Amino acid sequence: MGFVFVVHKGRVEAWHQNRTAFGTFSFEDFYRWHLQIMNELFAASKFPSAPDGIKAKVRLDRIVYVDDDVQEAVRKLTGPDGIRYDQGMWVWFDDQDRKGRWEPPTKEWRNRTEWSLPHELGHQLGLTDWYALDYEGDEDHLMPDNGDRIAHFMTHPITMMHWHGPHLFSEADAGYLNMTWDKPRGYYGDHYFAIPRECFLRIVDVNGSGVPKAKVEIFQRGVQVDENGKPGEDLGVRYFPVIEDGNFDRPVSKRPVIVGFTDEEGIIRLPNRPVKEVRTVNGFHRRPNPFGNTDVVGGRGLMLVKVTKYDRPCYFWLEIYQFVVAWFRGKRDRFTITLKTPYRSQDSPLPPRNVRVIAIGENHAKVMWDPPPIRHERQYLERAIGFRVYRRISSDGLNDRPWFPIATVGPEVREVTVDLRQFPGDIYWYSKVNRFAVSSIGELGVESELVEVISPFKIR
Ligand SMILES: [Zn+2]
């Protein structure tokens, strides 16, 4: 896939004054080297659905050296029919061009890699910004225990189209480029239409068993529910029409777009909401799907799932990225996402009581609890053979930053000291709030529900 670079001669000459990280005194070499880096990252972006990496290769087709007005030169690259036939371009234009005076790049600049360039050229190939799926939350959806906004950070942020840096392109990007490298360019984000035909959520409890008859409400970013619209129903699950005014920039909807209940196995089928159909030459087709009329920037590609059972709401995020990757992995007909709640099973032992946490110095905390009451001395299902202590950092969704176990102890133990400095090196972006929880463990390792407590003291 070829690119055109457009640059003023004055800038090129200024670059000729110094040796760059590439090793020559050349603007052209430095920026062609960035395409080599892009090709190396393409080849290294190997995934279950792209075992050979990204097949596409990029090359520098043409450099347009401009004598005077850069913007005028760019305009001339559009044909009389309004189409740009080069299908991928990068333009150097800033204040130096306006003033007609060009400085050599700084020592720092010319001696490093310009990681923004492979990212930006990714857009020229139709790839989207995955950081559009980050979300700091809003006032309509708050954590029940501390009032934090329920936030979300894109599921695989250390990727080229989320963050600039020496990162691989994501699996969805690999799938998109492997499907489109031999097609005409000019589309953007049409892989957001690649959603399996039938999508299911499987809500499970702390032991991995389905949660029957849980209420599932799904809210969507970028939409507002049309209160005058007529709700629809798809296999027993209701959905609500949204206002289609072209504004995808809204926070997560106050009202749900989807409401239903899980079946006996804890499964709910997401309704395929009606859409305005779109087909692209790349082979993508927007048809009825759980996200409805998805936009190609990502606004509507994020939905908040509120699961309620035992008067205890749990929050999860559905990200369009997961659906698109499933589609590229061949799950075109049927795709299920499992969401793990901290709820009990029918066979669970009784939960611990009075869970609390205190600070021990700067770097430690003590989590304490009382054992469950003895209700029926000989009832084997109620008996605890041990306890498990958990920790969770941030107020992101439960599937983003889940509970992680930090200790398993015997039935006589009533406290565990936690080294607060030891935790997964995950990305804690919007909030670093700490929660702890304790469960009882019964026979066969069956656990009780998690009894939660929020850290009353600040943890760095
Ligand atoms: Zn970008």
Side-chain angles (χ1 to χ4, degrees):
M1 299 184 285
F3 288 122
V4 177
F5 285 175
V6 183
V7 60
H8 197 282
K9 273 182 178 169
R11 184 180 301 266
V12 174
E13 274 155 29
W15 275 73
H16 288 168
Q17 308 305 312
N18 299 97
R19 203 167 87 135
T20 72
F22 180 72
T24 62
F25 291 67
S26 164
F27 172 93
E28 293 87 341
D29 285 348
F30 183 78
Y31 283 108
R32 197 167 42 205
W33 171 52
H34 282 71
L35 297 191
Q36 283 172 23
I37 291 172
M38 205 170 169
N39 282 334
E40 276 161 29
L41 290 171
F42 276 177
S45 297
K46 295 180 180 176
F47 294 98
S49 64
D52 302 320
I54 296 172
K55 286 178 233 160
K57 292 270 183 290
V58 289
R59 65 172 188 275
L60 178 56
D61 253 2
R62 186 154 73 112
I63 301 176
V64 176
Y65 295 102
V66 182
D67 287 322
D68 23 60
D69 187 350
V70 173
Q71 286 174 306
E72 181 56 30
V74 171
R75 272 192 291 276
K76 282 185 181 152
L77 289 169
T78 299
D81 54 2
I83 293 176
R84 247 182 51 205
Y85 286 90
D86 57 73
Q87 302 192 355
M89 146 159 68
W90 198 245
V91 182
W92 278 260
F93 181 72
D94 59 23
D95 268 348
Q96 298 185 52
D97 301 280
R98 287 186 198 98
K99 287 186 200 136
R101 275 215 333 268
W102 295 269
E103 301 290 331
T106 62
K107 191 174 174 205
E108 290 70 33
W109 190 269
R110 65 180 188 255
N111 283 302
R112 71 179 180 202
T113 310
E114 198 175 313
W115 288 114
S116 54
L117 190 61
H119 171 105
E120 300 304 339
L121 293 177
H123 291 318
Q124 296 289 302
L125 306 179
L127 302 180
T128 57
D129 281 318
W130 290 115
Y131 62 74
L133 294 174
D134 298 341
Y135 188 60
E136 66 175 349
D138 59 82
E139 289 303 316
D140 289 327
H141 304 282
L142 305 175
M143 287 297 292
D145 56 357
N146 73 343
D148 266 7
R149 294 164 170 221
I150 301 162
H152 174 71
F153 209 61
M154 196 263 165
T155 43
H156 300 291
I158 306 171
T159 44
M160 179 59 83
M161 298 312 290
H162 182 279
W163 268 340
H164 298 172
H167 309 316
L168 298 184
F169 288 81
S170 75
E171 184 164 2
D173 298 334
Y176 183 64
L177 291 178
N178 281 345
M179 197 162 137
T180 62
W181 66 273
D182 55 350
K183 312 273 194 322
R185 307 241 67 82
Y187 288 107
Y188 179 83
D190 47 333
H191 45 317
Y192 284 160
F193 303 160
I195 296 176
R197 274 182 193 271
E198 283 196 295
C199 302
F200 300 82
L201 300 183
R202 183 166 171 268
I203 313 294
V204 300
D205 62 30
V206 69
N207 296 302
S209 303
V211 178
K213 298 192 179 67
K215 187 176 190 188
V216 177
E217 296 162 275
I218 301 181
F219 307 84
Q220 185 174 21
R221 194 182 58 177
V223 306
Q224 185 182 337
V225 171
D226 182 358
E227 294 177 31
N228 301 315
K230 196 176 165 310
E233 198 176 304
D234 189 10
L235 294 179
V237 178
R238 284 190 303 155
Y239 60 86
F240 299 87
V242 301
I243 293 169
E244 297 288 5
D245 58 0
N247 178 7
F248 304 108
D249 207 20
R250 295 182 161 104
V252 169
S253 59
K254 202 178 177 109
R255 289 161 170 262
V257 293
I258 295 172
V259 178
F261 287 86
T262 57
D263 66 11
E264 285 303 315
E265 309 294 319
I267 291 168
I268 180 170
R269 180 181 174 277
L270 297 175
N272 283 325
R273 294 157 62 198
V275 299
K276 191 176 168 206
E277 286 201 40
V278 178
R279 279 173 192 275
T280 70
V281 177
N282 284 332
F284 296 103
H285 181 186
R286 184 169 75 180
R287 58 178 159 223
N289 73 84
F291 291 89
N293 279 316
T294 43
D295 62 310
V296 295
V297 175
R300 290 187 175 181
L302 188 65
M303 300 205 286
L304 177 67
V305 184
K306 179 183 182 186
V307 176
T308 311
K309 176 106 182 179
Y310 312 112
D311 290 324
R312 182 178 182 180
C314 297
Y315 294 91
F316 305 89
W317 291 100
L318 299 182
E319 202 183 67
I320 199 162
Y321 178 86
Q322 303 165 287
F323 293 73
V324 172
V325 168
W327 191 89
F328 280 123
R329 288 187 186 183
K331 294 191 175 195
R332 307 226 165 153
D333 293 327
R334 206 183 154 89
F335 172 51
T336 302
I337 290 182
T338 299
L339 300 177
K340 189 173 180 186
T341 68
Y343 299 153
R344 60 179 280 111
S345 309
Q346 211 168 14
D347 270 7
S348 289
L350 297 171
R353 296 173 299 172
N354 197 18
V355 175
R356 55 217 186 269
V357 58
I358 58 166
I360 307 277
E362 228 176 63
N363 295 321
H364 293 82
K366 194 186 278 187
V367 180
M368 294 172 289
W369 62 92
D370 296 334
I374 296 172
R375 285 208 192 122
H376 311 96
E377 204 169 342
R378 293 286 148 194
Q379 171 48 268
Y380 58 84
L381 289 181
E382 291 183 5
R383 191 164 68 95
I385 64 166
F387 297 96
R388 187 160 293 146
V389 182
Y390 291 83
R391 184 179 181 189
R392 181 166 116 81
I393 302 173
S394 97
S395 289
D396 289 359
L398 267 176
N399 52 339
D400 296 324
R401 254 38 79 185
W403 288 103
F404 51 91
I406 53 177
T408 300
V409 294
E412 309 306 328
V413 177
R414 300 287 176 262
E415 59 177 53
V416 160
T417 300
V418 183
D419 184 339
L420 296 170
R421 295 163 298 187
Q422 292 302 319
F423 53 88
D426 206 344
I427 292 165
Y428 308 101
W429 191 263
Y430 295 115
S431 157
K432 288 191 173 69
V433 70
N434 273 255
R435 291 176 175 82
F436 297 92
V438 184
S439 70
S440 308
I441 307 170
E443 291 176 357
L444 307 173
V446 175
E447 277 181 76
S448 75
E449 64 266 41
L450 268 52
V451 181
E452 295 179 31
V453 62
I454 194 155
S455 171
F457 53 91
K458 198 136 183 76
I459 297 172
R460 281 170 303 145

